[in-house]
Amino acid sequence: LASSAASDVYKRQVMALLDGKVCVVTGGAGSIGLASAQRFLEEGGKVMLVDLDPSALDAAVQSLNSPHVFAFACDVTDAARVAASFEAIVAKWGKIDVIFSNAGNAGRNARVEEYPEDIFDTTLTIHAKGAFLACKYGLPHMNDGGSIIITSSISGVRGGAGVNMAYVTAKHAQVGVMRVASRSAASRGIRVNSIHPGPVDNAFQTGIEVEMGKMLGINVTEQLNQAVPLKRHASAREIAGAVLYLASDLSTYVTGTVHMVDGGLMS
Ligand SMILES: NC(=O)c1ccc[n+]([C@@H]2O[C@H](COP(=O)([O-])OP(=O)(O)OC[C@H]3O[C@@H](n4cnc5c(N)ncnc54)[C@H](O)[C@@H]3O)[C@@H](O)[C@H]2O)c1
């Protein structure tokens, strides 16, 4: 008996967190998407990367250097292409276990009175409609017990400096998508959560900080490092760690949550 218990422990230690799980990552050619795809592969998952630009996707696939990854070029706001992307992965590997709805743009920093309406519309569409379409067309192809993770932001729980109306509104809207989908999918044991990264040390965030810094006349990067209780930006891999937790069976009783990954900034 003792030796069989010991061998159970051994099996648990060697089993990867996503062994054989079929995963979709949107924004997969970008920083957080690619880091998450890497984590999924390290833990035994199979990954389809979804993003806009085929050559960026090719480079992402090359960098991952795994037989368990392929790419599908798709605008996450285009319903027909989104549906086709899910059909492509099911045709290749069977039903889906994990959808990481992560594609996003930065909107623009501008005072409300000057905020461009076209940027408001596109930003809301990419984040809110993108997450909605991932749920709408993804859920019918998912295994019961699967997991959907939506990348929102600290901008999904507060207004921040209040200079990016479109981004803040879109990131709040994703919480609505997550909450409704989590209720709707719960009967199948499918969990839906949003993650809310604080500032990440990557090109996306640097662009926002430089633009905001010019507008406010301050060094936003330095101010954020001071304001974050952990006193630094996150790496994309640290965000990916939280995504992996929500994707895996470590979080089987976690659904409908707003999961902060912000170094304590919103505490
Ligand atoms: N970087 C940060 O500090 C930070 C903080 C909080 C939240 N986020 C969120 O994390 C997510 C990933 O951002 P990132 O930091 O990796 O930036 P990133 O720019 O490296 O990645 C975003 C990816 O989404 C893709 N994308 C944009 N619009 C798309 C569309 N319509 N269809 C398909 N793909 C599209 C882009 O091509 C890009 O590859 C975004 O939703 C962003 O809002 C980022």
Side-chain angles (χ1 to χ4, degrees), residues 22 48 70 84-96 138 140-142:
V22 174
M48 175 176 75
F70 78 103
S85 74
F86 291 125
E87 279 153 22
I89 189 168
V90 170
K92 196 171 170 67
W93 287 321
K95 282 190 139 186
I96 301 162
H141 292 297
M142 286 183 83

Side-chain angles (χ1 to χ4, degrees), residues 2-264:
S3 80
S4 107
S7 98
D8 278 355
V9 169
Y10 175 69
K11 268 190 215 134
R12 275 202 296 278
Q13 281 173 346
V14 295
M15 236 180 90
L17 285 172
L18 295 182
D19 238 355
K21 303 248 189 203
V22 174
C23 311
V24 176
V25 176
T26 80
S31 165
I32 293 172
L34 190 57
S36 301
Q38 173 84 59
R39 290 300 278 127
F40 288 1
L41 290 167
E42 286 166 7
E43 293 293 336
K46 300 175 189 173
V47 179
M48 175 176 75
L49 300 177
V50 172
D51 210 302
L52 287 171
D53 176 18
S55 55
L57 280 167
D58 282 348
V61 168
Q62 291 279 322
S63 76
L64 290 169
N65 190 28
S66 161
H68 304 299
V69 62
F70 78 103
F72 191 99
C74 166
D75 183 330
V76 297
T77 69
D78 178 339
R81 288 295 289 165
V82 170
S85 74
F86 291 125
E87 279 153 22
I89 189 168
V90 170
K92 196 171 170 67
W93 287 321
K95 282 190 139 186
I96 301 162
D97 298 294
V98 175
I99 297 174
F100 181 31
S101 171
N102 165 74
N105 70 324
R108 178 174 306 166
N109 290 293
R111 291 173 51 76
V112 175
E113 298 90 322
E114 286 126 32
Y115 208 92
E117 285 175 42
D118 58 336
I119 290 181
F120 186 88
D121 289 344
T122 50
T123 304
L124 204 64
T125 306
I126 292 169
H127 295 272
K129 189 176 176 191
F132 158 60
L133 293 179
C135 295
K136 176 175 166 122
Y137 291 104
L139 275 166
H141 292 297
M142 286 183 83
N143 282 315
D144 289 0
S147 173
I148 299 177
I149 305 108
I150 298 169
T151 309
S152 177
S153 164
I154 50 171
S155 299
V157 297
R158 59 166 290 193
V163 292
N164 198 334
M165 174 62 88
Y167 190 73
V168 170
T169 305
K171 288 309 199 185
H172 277 72
Q174 287 181 313
V175 174
V177 173
M178 178 277 288
R179 288 194 167 124
V180 175
S182 72
R183 290 275 170 171
S184 180
S187 60
R188 294 177 53 202
I190 294 174
R191 295 165 292 114
V192 188
N193 295 283
S194 50
I195 57 153
H196 297 257
V200 179
D201 184 9
N202 68 13
F204 179 97
Q205 178 66 14
T206 302
I208 293 174
E209 289 172 10
V210 167
E211 194 183 73
M212 223 168 140
K214 277 189 201 143
M215 205 182 145
L216 303 173
I218 54 172
N219 183 333
V220 175
T221 306
E222 201 36 55
Q223 289 225 343
L224 277 169
N225 283 335
Q226 288 310 315
V228 172
L230 290 181
K231 295 288 173 221
R232 61 180 176 85
H233 285 48
S235 69
R237 190 170 167 85
E238 287 177 300
I239 307 304
V243 179
L244 174 64
Y245 162 72
L246 291 170
S248 78
D249 288 350
L250 291 175
S251 58
T252 45
Y253 201 60
V254 180
T255 196
T257 69
V258 163
H259 190 87
M260 306 310 300
V261 195
D262 66 348

